[in-house]
Amino acid sequence: MWCGSRWTVDSSEHPYWILQRSSLWTCESSIGVKIERSVAFPSMTEAHPITAAEILWAAAARFPDLPCVTDLDTESGATTYSYTEVRRRVAAVGAAFMSLGLSVGDRVALLLPNSIAYIDAQLGAIAAGLIVVPLNVRLVREDYLHMLSDSGAKVLVTTGEFLDRVPELAQVEGVRVIRGDAEAPGGSELDRLSAGAGELVSPVRAEDSDAATLMYTSGTTGAPEAGVLTHRSWRSVADPGVSVLE
């Protein structure tokens, strides 16, 4: 689900996914976030989860204390979160999005480096029944402004790095900008909103054919265009990976 991940096996033949902080789209280093342990993903035939958020809830119920994600770039160094911890973070972010008045089907754009904030925001949006609009970190001002307008995004979760690069992102009419980086004044706004919003008890139920993400092209021959990926589309990507890991 997170762009820029790659399959790797360490010296103990323990498989995991690793996401580089350097880029969402290219594999340039081994710095970033790794998603731990294949055993923590339940078989799709057992719980019949439809969305990625439901998969997380099911995994947390089966393996609450197993490591789920390790963020290699936190201020205190590598930080590992269990499945229960990730579920609670995602549940809080989903509740925070709903507290902003967002409704099922609204769009949330993400312009973030690979980080725990990306995982929180993407799965939190899906848990709240929202549609995620991932923005490629290597694009330029005109592309970002077009994507925000074209997608109808109501929220943009980003960091100071991108706001410094494209100040106009903070001025798009109708788009609430939420900083997800610790360097924001007062710390991560995403974390502050989540801390006061409670937690979703369970993800909003969706259908296979419901849109999960709007994935934009890079606009090589014109303005970027969005492709709709449904929850079924993402499961078709996840299922082979689960079968390999199991």
Side-chain angles (χ1 to χ4, degrees):
M1 179 165 295
W2 295 276
C3 302
S5 61
R6 65 183 174 89
W7 168 252
T8 186
V9 178
D10 67 14
S11 58
S12 62
E13 298 186 354
H14 172 73
Y16 57 82
W17 287 101
I18 188 164
L19 296 90
Q20 289 77 24
R21 182 65 56 87
S22 57
S23 169
L24 291 180
W25 298 92
T26 59
C27 298
E28 297 177 352
S29 73
S30 59
I31 302 301
V33 179
K34 71 178 181 180
I35 300 178
E36 308 262 10
R37 298 184 67 89
S38 61
V39 68
F41 291 92
S43 168
M44 301 301 293
T45 60
E46 291 182 15
H48 301 289
I50 289 177
T51 71
E54 289 177 337
I55 293 174
L56 173 61
W57 255 253
R62 290 185 59 193
F63 308 102
D65 299 321
L66 287 183
C68 173
V69 173
T70 297
D71 190 336
L72 304 180
D73 290 332
T74 64
E75 291 181 335
S76 57
T79 302
T80 297
Y81 303 88
S82 70
Y83 272 86
T84 294
E85 289 171 322
V86 173
R87 181 196 60 76
R88 294 196 65 179
R89 292 177 66 93
V90 167
V93 171
F97 285 146
M98 296 180 77
S99 74
L100 297 176
L102 298 180
S103 302
V104 172
D106 284 342
R107 278 73 162 163
V108 173
L110 306 182
L111 182 54
L112 294 164
N114 288 321
S115 59
I116 189 65
Y118 200 112
I119 294 172
D120 292 343
Q122 176 146 347
L123 290 182
I126 290 173
L130 309 173
I131 298 172
V132 178
V133 186
L135 303 182
N136 186 331
V137 299
R138 293 182 180 272
L139 297 183
V140 297
R141 171 187 175 278
E142 291 75 14
D143 295 326
Y144 293 138
L145 298 180
H146 167 75
M147 292 173 180
L148 289 174
S149 173
D150 184 68
S151 68
K154 293 188 176 181
V155 167
L156 169 65
V157 184
T158 189
T159 68
E161 172 190 355
F162 298 107
L163 292 173
D164 289 342
R165 186 197 305 175
V166 186
E168 294 88 344
L169 290 173
Q171 302 164 9
V172 178
E173 185 176 358
V175 178
R176 166 73 181 268
V177 176
I178 299 173
R179 284 188 59 170
D181 55 318
E183 292 72 29
S188 166
E189 184 182 4
L190 186 65
D191 286 348
R192 295 201 307 273
L193 289 170
S194 301
E199 294 181 8
L200 297 179
V201 175
S202 60
V204 171
R205 189 66 177 171
E207 300 297 329
D208 264 342
S209 57
D210 289 342
T213 59
L214 298 181
M215 306 293 290
Y216 275 86
T217 67
S218 58
T220 304
T221 59
E225 297 180 351
V228 179
L229 270 67
T230 65
H231 295 292
R232 181 187 295 114
S233 300
W234 280 116
R235 275 212 323 284
S236 72
V237 174
D239 284 351
V242 171
S243 63
V244 169
L245 293 172
E246 291 182 336

